[in-house]
Amino acid sequence: MAFFNKGFGRKRDQTASDRIPPGQYETRDFPVLTAGPTPRIPLTTWSFTLEGLVESPVRWNWDEFNALPHQSFTNDIHCVTKWSKLDTHWEGVSIDTLLEHVTVKPEARFVMAYSYGDYTTNMPLDDLRNGKAFIGFRFEGLPLAPEHGGPARLVVPHLYFWKSAKWIKGLRFMEHDQPGFWERGGYSMYGDPWQEQRYRSDD
Ligand SMILES: Nc1nc2c(c(=O)[nH]1)N[C@H]1C(S)=C(S)[C@@H](COP(=O)(O)O)O[C@H]1N2
Ligand SMILES: [Mo]
């Protein structure tokens, strides 16, 4: 009768080490991992778009985006380079809130997150829904620093942190899964830290 799933029901009766996926170690630092230079995006030109397989695309500018309902989030994050950081505190807009503004076509099952500076990363649409992911713009009570993806980044804490695209610019809804930047380079299409899906060969 023991149906335990490590991804759910955590926190109560769980020690810190139970929250560290296999092959990871805990760090209190917040390492910076970026492929290429840090883009600087003035808030006056920033925008965020939902596009692809939607009835009609929607775009918010910074003020419009900030007028959307905010939430606080506390999550553990896990980088494929093996650090994990427990209880990170964010403020942002849930992807569920954003999805209220578009009609996603039924054939859309995957998403490509794309960023300023051309970074991309792919994931199933279901992994962004039902409280699982958000666009974060404040971290530990302060505006998100540019090196960590400010003005705003995607945060998908239940997948390896490369799926959490920094300097997010939009989400493109797709019928078929397509590899993003690291995925084309041989990293996992899905990236579940609890299954240690680091590389394509682990999928
Ligand atoms: N746009 C963009 N997003 C990105 C990356 C990147 O290079 N560019 N690196 C990814 C990787 S590999 C990780 S581990 C996290 C690192 O986030 P941090 O620098 O805030 O720790 O961002 C992810 N998001
Ligand atoms: Mo990473």
Side-chain angles (χ1 to χ4, degrees):
M1 284 299 287
F3 293 103
F4 286 109
N5 179 323
K6 280 179 172 168
F8 295 91
R10 62 168 190 72
K11 296 256 163 79
R12 269 188 72 209
D13 301 332
Q14 258 193 328
T15 65
S17 64
D18 290 335
R19 291 162 58 184
I20 307 292
Q24 300 288 113
Y25 65 88
E26 185 184 354
T27 182
R28 304 286 165 107
D29 301 331
F30 195 5
V32 173
L33 272 124
T34 303
T38 293
R40 305 278 161 168
I41 308 113
L43 298 183
T44 48
T45 58
W46 184 91
S47 70
F48 180 86
T49 303
L50 298 178
E51 59 168 281
L53 294 174
V54 288
E55 293 299 339
S56 51
V58 55
R59 176 172 297 166
W60 292 272
N61 66 26
W62 183 255
D63 289 339
E64 292 162 344
F65 195 86
N66 274 266
L68 295 168
H70 295 192
Q71 283 173 254
S72 299
F73 303 87
T74 300
N75 291 106
D76 303 343
I77 56 181
H78 312 289
C79 174
V80 74
T81 62
K82 302 202 166 177
W83 55 266
S84 290
K85 191 171 169 59
L86 302 182
D87 290 324
T88 61
H89 299 103
W90 302 82
E91 254 175 75
V93 177
S94 167
I95 303 296
D96 297 313
T97 301
L98 301 177
L99 288 173
E100 289 169 14
H101 295 259
V102 285
T103 304
V104 178
K105 294 186 178 175
E107 61 269 31
R109 292 186 47 232
F110 295 92
V111 171
M112 188 67 80
Y114 59 94
S115 296
Y116 289 93
D118 286 342
Y119 186 83
T120 53
T121 187
N122 56 297
M123 62 214 78
L125 174 54
D126 279 348
D127 285 79
L128 296 179
R129 283 180 154 147
N130 298 317
K132 291 200 201 76
F134 58 93
I135 305 295
F137 43 70
R138 290 178 74 80
F139 177 76
E140 303 300 348
L142 295 171
L144 183 61
E147 62 270 26
H148 287 299
R153 79 182 295 166
L154 178 62
V155 183
V156 193
H158 71 287
L159 299 178
Y160 279 125
F161 209 37
W162 87 78
K163 301 286 182 179
S164 296
K166 304 198 276 189
W167 314 293
I168 188 85
K169 193 177 181 192
L171 301 176
R172 188 159 49 246
F173 299 93
M174 315 184 291
E175 182 171 0
H176 301 289
D177 202 7
Q178 285 172 38
F181 176 81
W182 287 115
E183 295 83 5
R184 280 196 300 277
Y187 282 85
S188 169
M189 290 294 271
Y190 187 59
D192 179 352
W194 295 99
Q195 304 295 328
E196 258 199 290
Q197 292 173 329
R198 299 176 192 273
Y199 307 106
R200 198 73 82 85
S201 53
D202 302 323
D203 284 356

